[in-house]
Amino acid sequence: MHKVYIYKGFERFWHWTQASLIIFLAVTGFEVHGTLDIFGFEKAAEFHRIASWMLIALITFSIFWHLTTGEWRQYIPTTDKLKEQIIYYISGIFKGDPHPTEKTGLSKLNPLQRIVYLGFKVVLVPITIISGIFYLLYKTFDQNDMVVIEEYPLASIAFWHTLGAFLLMIFLVVHVYMTTTGKTPTSNIKAMITGFEELEEEHLDITPKNDKTQTL
Amino acid sequence: MLRNLLLVILIVVSALVLVNVLHKEDGYNLKLEELKHKYALKDIPSVDHTKLPALHKDFKTPQEVTEACISCHTETHLEVMASSHWNWERVSYVEGRGISSSGKKNVMNNFCIGTNSNEKSCAKCHIGFGMNNNSFDFDNARNVDCMVCHDNSEEYLKGSAMAGYPDRTVNLEAVAQSVGSPKKSNCGSCHFFGGGGNNVKHGDLESAHLSCDRDVDVHMAANGMNMECVACHTAKNHQILGKLYSVSTENSNRSTCEQCHSSSPHLSNMLNRHGSKIACQTCHIPEYAKVNSTKMAWNWSDAGKLKDGEPYEIDDSLGNHSYLSIKGSFVWERNVKPDYIWFNGTADQYLLGDTIQSVPVKMNTLYGSHNDRKSKIIPVKIHVGDQIYDKVYNRLIQPKLHGENDGDSAFWQDFKWVEAAEAGMKQSGLTFSGEYGFVKTEMYWPINHMVSPKEKSVSCAECHTRDNGRLANLSGFYVPGRDYNKTLDFFGYWTFLLTLAAVFGHAIIRMLYNVIKDKFEKQVINYDEDEPDAA
Ligand code: HEM
């Protein structure tokens, strides 16, 4: 075993800020939607709008970060070992089989994660954010009090936005649960907090490989 | 090191954001302050009419007063005689009707029905003298009643059923010397009492306006801006701005909130944006008839019952008539939440002689729809009722209601519908088949007055709510918080719940497997700080 600095400072900042913003947006959004009753409609809508600007800003930074650091490559999808990964979650995980893929600093994501996170980044979040921006700008006035963005049907914008919101919530549930399937139930979360995770690096193989805990 | 720095920055930034989000100062609305300042300064008249010799005279008839007025204001009667206050009609373009002339002469309503054959009584609210019947001379300037609008002494009073002449008790000389710009009491002498009593018709215009507080009406409140009607209903050449949608059809010369407040009066951009689809009144007049009740329903079919051959009345607990033999039964309400409709500013009315198209008969139709760019949601009072109609010709009947003597076929004298219908229709130039019935009617009254203080305006959640919101009756467009896609919600919630269930199932199976596995071995091996198994 070897302690590896796997999640950089920005990455961790981005991850947790985005997580809290999305959860906050979900709470206020579903209050606007009529599902929850916490802040009252007026406050919920106002908070939702403020938080949405923060999320837009954050995501702009993170896109920039992914491009400049080359981290976006982590999400290039692959079918290699994808099936094994799925089978692992369906059966192997119960028996205590080892993870079919190794986690390293250069390749943090297993093939299933790659596809799901890519979907999250290029489908889920864009659906929600783009429809959200349309929602945000519905009926905007210019200096002469003229409506500049007008009749796009709000019902369909709201449809896509609500769809995105539901999918994000489903993602959240699965995502949170999956973090408990690391070496130990909390090891992944700890890594995302501290940045360090105990990983096996084949070329630095110091510890004996028959340690059973690694697969839990 | 870097981590600590980032942490500090993060904390500072989030603290700043939180302060900004949670701390809201009540913004200073400069536009509003400027308006208040402007209207706080009241006009000072440039002429003192008590000093004019032409008005020191023992006027024998009100016409002499008018002549005295015209002796100085030499052309003004021409302006007045071009106004709808004088002509009781207005030529305009109406969708589906073409160019048509409408006004009190031929428009019908579901209150006292119409003016034809009842002129003598209705003329109490005509700015002229001597309207006995439908042959009034609209070209005679001597009959213009200047005083009803310009008397500032509150002494002037038109007699009832006196064809527009002042009551005999009025001291014409005193009135003539105290003329000035119209006050609430002048406009109110007619506009508060439409339908035959205070607040009967409008619901948002009534005698309480003469001295009310800001909760009733922020503009006219005695302890507020104390504005006169003419502050908003400004006039040029006696053509007064602001026509009521219930009797005028074109969308022109309206008096609007925006004329003073502009179309972006709020500090919040969100609220300003609502203005593209929602009239100011919709949020700012949460309820009407705040002081005295207004009539919500009037059933003429109940009229004519007699006790021992005599007409009678029944009053409700607030002193409002709930039954009158001469008029039928009524429903009154106070503090009424308005109904809401889409309206684009154009309207049509049921005109005397029109064939009934649908039941309930719409006495006026306010056009508009959610997909019409010019429409906005406005608050209305819907006055319903039933009234007499001709079963054969399928049109509303103008009955003769007012009469001087028994036997002159007026309903209010003789309580006989056939005679009253016969006489009324004859005077209106229409035939009556002899067969009458009662048909349901409704009439739409836009609510424009009784603006509440901003703290009392309609809150967001009163419309943005799933059930029973204020806009529950309007459909076809999406209101966040009210509307949602049912299919999406169904699948959304279920998929979410099933996912949760699947995840729990997975977790439980994992735990079970762990329990089955040899614990002993694990306990020995697990020496590092992590919990071997959260379960
Ligand atoms: C940058 C991102 C986002 C933007 C710009 C945005 C914008 C908006 C806006 C403008 C509304 C309408 C309420 C209002 O007018 O204040 C709304 C509603 C809503 N938002 Fe968002 N939002 C964003 C992200 C999210 C996220 C991440 C979620 C949930 C995970 C979410 C869930 C919802 C829901 C459920 C509604 C109610 C939709 C309805 O019932 O019509 N939003 N959003």
Side-chain angles (χ1 to χ4, degrees):
Chain A
M1 290 295 284
H2 186 71
K3 264 207 176 213
V4 179
Y5 187 48
I6 184 162
Y7 298 118
K8 321 266 178 325
F10 176 81
E11 204 168 13
R12 283 175 284 139
F13 162 76
W14 161 61
H15 175 270
W16 290 114
T17 321
Q18 173 160 300
S20 22
L21 280 176
I22 287 185
I23 291 169
F24 184 70
L25 281 162
V27 170
T28 50
F30 277 102
E31 172 143 25
V32 167
H33 191 62
T35 314
L36 307 171
D37 188 4
I38 298 165
F39 303 105
F41 181 91
E42 185 172 359
K43 287 263 174 307
E46 192 186 336
F47 292 167
H48 194 80
R49 284 175 173 246
I50 294 168
S52 73
W53 283 115
M54 291 162 71
L55 184 63
I56 291 171
L58 182 71
I59 287 192
T60 315
F61 277 118
S62 85
I63 290 174
F64 184 71
W65 180 83
H66 275 91
L67 291 181
T68 51
T69 57
E71 285 284 322
W72 60 275
R73 289 199 185 84
Q74 300 268 4
Y75 303 94
I76 297 173
T78 167
T79 50
D80 184 34
K81 292 215 188 152
L82 179 60
K83 208 166 141 207
E84 287 86 339
Q85 192 67 41
I86 295 173
I87 290 171
Y88 169 74
Y89 285 127
I90 295 176
S91 70
I93 187 169
F94 303 125
K95 298 178 210 132
D97 291 352
H99 275 272
T101 41
E102 296 285 339
K103 188 170 182 178
T104 68
L106 286 176
S107 174
K108 305 177 222 180
L109 306 175
N110 70 46
L112 192 59
Q113 280 174 319
R114 278 179 185 244
I115 286 193
V116 172
Y117 290 1
L118 185 71
F120 173 80
K121 285 179 184 221
V122 304
V123 184
L124 277 198
V125 170
I127 285 186
T128 318
I129 291 196
I130 292 169
S131 61
I133 290 173
F134 272 92
Y135 216 144
L136 205 59
L137 298 182
Y138 185 68
K139 295 211 185 306
T140 301
F141 281 80
D142 70 6
Q143 303 89 312
N144 298 317
D145 292 341
M146 302 288 284
V147 178
V148 284
I149 297 187
E150 236 218 337
E151 297 308 338
Y152 45 74
L154 196 53
S156 59
I157 293 164
F159 172 85
W160 289 107
H161 197 64
T162 314
L163 175 69
F166 273 125
L167 292 178
L168 279 177
M169 287 307 92
I170 290 161
F171 170 84
L172 186 73
V173 169
V174 178
H175 177 65
V176 169
Y177 176 66
M178 286 311 219
T179 63
T180 67
T181 63
K183 243 177 288 302
T184 72
T186 55
S187 64
N188 281 338
I189 297 180
K190 276 189 181 149
M192 195 42 109
I193 295 172
T194 61
F196 290 94
E197 183 166 7
E198 303 226 350
L199 296 179
E200 293 166 57
E201 305 264 334
E202 269 141 301
H203 48 287
L204 292 172
D205 211 349
I206 307 165
T207 42
K209 256 205 146 186
N210 58 0
D211 185 348
K212 270 205 158 188
T213 56
Q214 67 187 266
T215 56
L216 276 173
Chain B
M1 185 48 208
L2 182 69
R3 212 192 312 160
N4 291 344
L5 193 69
L6 274 177
L7 205 66
V8 171
I9 293 176
L10 186 66
I11 290 171
V12 170
V13 169
S14 43
L16 284 176
V17 168
L18 277 182
V19 166
N20 272 295
V21 169
L22 300 178
H23 178 75
K24 267 267 149 65
E25 235 179 280
D26 209 11
Y28 180 77
N29 193 333
L30 190 63
K31 272 186 187 168
L32 196 59
E33 295 308 317
E34 278 172 357
L35 271 181
K36 281 185 184 162
H37 187 68
K38 182 171 163 202
Y39 284 90
L41 304 170
K42 305 284 177 196
D43 279 344
I44 303 161
S46 47
V47 174
D48 180 353
H49 283 83
T50 58
K51 294 185 179 157
L52 303 180
L55 301 178
H56 286 273
K57 189 177 159 190
D58 181 18
F59 296 106
K60 291 280 179 297
T61 64
Q63 279 94 341
E64 287 175 27
V65 179
T66 303
E67 281 165 6
C69 301
I70 295 178
S71 69
C72 287
H73 302 274
T74 59
E75 310 305 312
T76 310
H77 58 285
L78 296 176
E79 296 173 11
V80 175
M81 289 162 73
S83 74
S84 44
H85 275 136
W86 171 260
N87 287 313
W88 270 12
E89 75 175 352
R90 189 185 278 133
V91 175
S92 57
Y93 174 78
V94 185
E95 196 68 45
R97 231 184 245 284
I99 295 173
S100 84
S101 153
S102 65
K104 289 200 198 303
K105 282 174 181 171
N106 60 347
V107 162
M108 294 178 85
N109 64 42
N110 58 2
F111 296 86
C112 289
I113 300 179
T115 60
N116 272 282
S117 73
N118 304 307
E119 286 85 354
K120 205 164 177 179
S121 165
C122 300
K124 191 177 181 190
C125 284
H126 179 241
I127 57 160
F129 308 120
M131 188 190 262
N132 281 306
N133 47 42
N134 59 3
S135 59
F136 180 76
D137 181 4
F138 285 95
D139 295 324
N140 186 349
R142 293 181 71 246
N143 283 336
V144 171
D145 185 349
C146 308
M147 293 174 285
V148 67
C149 300
H150 292 284
D151 164 43
N152 280 354
S153 67
E154 301 196 7
E155 143 109 33
Y156 190 80
L157 173 75
K158 276 184 180 262
S160 65
M162 282 177 64
Y165 280 104
D167 198 78
R168 283 180 232 287
T169 58
V170 173
N171 177 347
L172 293 175
E173 188 177 347
V175 170
Q177 290 177 16
S178 61
V179 290
S181 173
K183 295 225 175 305
K184 286 190 271 270
S185 53
N186 298 101
C187 308
S189 69
C190 289
H191 293 282
F192 293 163
F193 298 98
N198 182 42
N199 211 18
V200 166
K201 267 186 181 168
H202 287 272
D204 63 339
L205 274 183
E206 59 140 321
S207 53
H209 273 110
L210 295 174
S211 66
C212 63
D213 61 19
R214 292 189 75 243
D215 281 346
V216 175
D217 190 309
V218 287
H219 296 105
M220 292 188 255
N223 65 347
M225 291 311 295
N226 202 7
M227 289 161 70
E228 300 297 346
C229 309
V230 292
C232 300
H233 297 277
T234 54
K236 199 167 191 191
N237 302 331
H238 281 83
Q239 309 299 314
I240 297 174
L241 203 63
K243 305 181 291 191
L244 183 69
Y245 303 110
S246 47
V247 288
S248 53
T249 53
E250 274 177 338
N251 191 17
S252 61
N253 298 337
R254 305 286 195 198
S255 177
T256 63
C257 310
E258 287 90 341
Q259 88 198 27
C260 288
H261 290 284
S262 85
S263 56
S264 52
H266 308 97
L267 295 177
S268 149
N269 179 35
M270 188 45 144
L271 294 180
N272 286 336
R273 269 196 238 174
H274 276 73
S276 68
K277 284 284 170 198
I278 291 163
C280 311
Q281 296 91 319
T282 304
C283 302
H284 289 281
I285 311 178
E287 56 182 28
Y288 59 93
K290 291 180 191 168
V291 184
N292 295 300
S293 318
T294 185
K295 251 179 213 176
M296 302 304 291
W298 182 326
N299 296 311
W300 277 99
S301 54
D302 293 331
K305 292 178 203 155
L306 302 175
K307 263 187 194 151
D308 310 324
E310 290 298 319
Y312 64 99
E313 64 175 66
I314 304 172
D315 288 355
D316 67 16
S317 60
L318 293 169
N320 300 309
H321 302 310
S322 51
Y323 182 75
L324 285 178
S325 296
I326 57 167
K327 294 180 174 177
S329 62
F330 314 111
V331 176
W332 293 81
E333 274 176 44
R334 213 158 55 134
N335 298 325
V336 196
K337 248 192 198 183
D339 285 287
Y340 299 92
I341 59 161
W342 285 97
F343 183 42
N344 65 13
T346 62
D348 190 14
Q349 281 98 33
Y350 180 93
L351 299 184
L352 194 57
D354 282 356
T355 308
I356 292 171
Q357 305 290 347
S358 60
V359 179
V361 183
K362 285 198 166 185
M363 306 308 291
N364 64 338
T365 310
L366 303 185
Y367 293 119
S369 124
H370 63 88
N371 50 25
D372 166 7
R373 224 166 166 270
K374 293 192 200 118
S375 293
K376 292 189 185 189
I377 294 172
I378 62 156
V380 289
K381 163 184 164 177
I382 302 177
H383 182 257
V384 299
D386 62 26
Q387 69 196 59
I388 185 169
Y389 83 110
D390 190 319
K391 281 184 155 171
V392 176
Y393 293 122
N394 196 29
R395 63 188 176 203
L396 294 181
I397 287 174
Q398 169 63 64
K400 180 176 165 72
L401 298 171
H402 173 79
E404 308 281 77
N405 305 301
D406 285 358
D408 61 6
S409 61
F411 187 77
W412 290 348
Q413 295 289 341
D414 305 336
F415 300 99
K416 292 192 180 116
W417 278 121
V418 178
E419 278 85 344
E422 185 77 54
M425 290 305 260
K426 196 170 162 204
Q427 275 203 46
S428 313
L430 295 165
T431 43
F432 169 51
S433 69
E435 275 190 59
Y436 73 90
F438 290 86
V439 64
K440 292 225 173 303
T441 57
E442 58 187 32
M443 186 167 190
Y444 292 78
W445 290 78
I447 300 295
N448 296 307
H449 305 93
M450 292 200 175
V451 172
S452 288
K454 69 166 188 270
E455 302 76 34
K456 299 214 165 150
S457 45
V458 173
S459 71
C460 307
E462 287 182 61
C463 299
H464 293 279
T465 177
R466 280 271 165 104
D467 305 306
N468 303 323
R470 284 188 184 246
L471 301 184
N473 289 333
L474 296 180
S475 59
F477 57 99
Y478 191 87
V479 180
R482 184 193 74 166
D483 300 317
Y484 57 98
N485 186 308
K486 288 202 174 64
T487 325
L488 175 60
D489 262 38
F490 178 81
F491 285 109
Y493 292 132
W494 274 108
T495 320
F496 180 76
L497 287 178
L498 289 179
T499 312
L500 267 183
V503 156
F504 270 108
H506 198 275
I508 286 169
I509 299 174
R510 262 171 78 202
M511 284 180 234
L512 287 180
Y513 265 95
N514 281 340
V515 171
I516 294 165
K517 256 189 268 169
D518 186 0
K519 276 186 190 170
F520 177 71
E521 183 191 4
K522 259 196 278 171
Q523 276 163 0
V524 170
I525 294 167
N526 261 316
Y527 45 79
D528 61 2
E529 76 282 337
D530 281 327
E531 297 286 325
D533 192 345

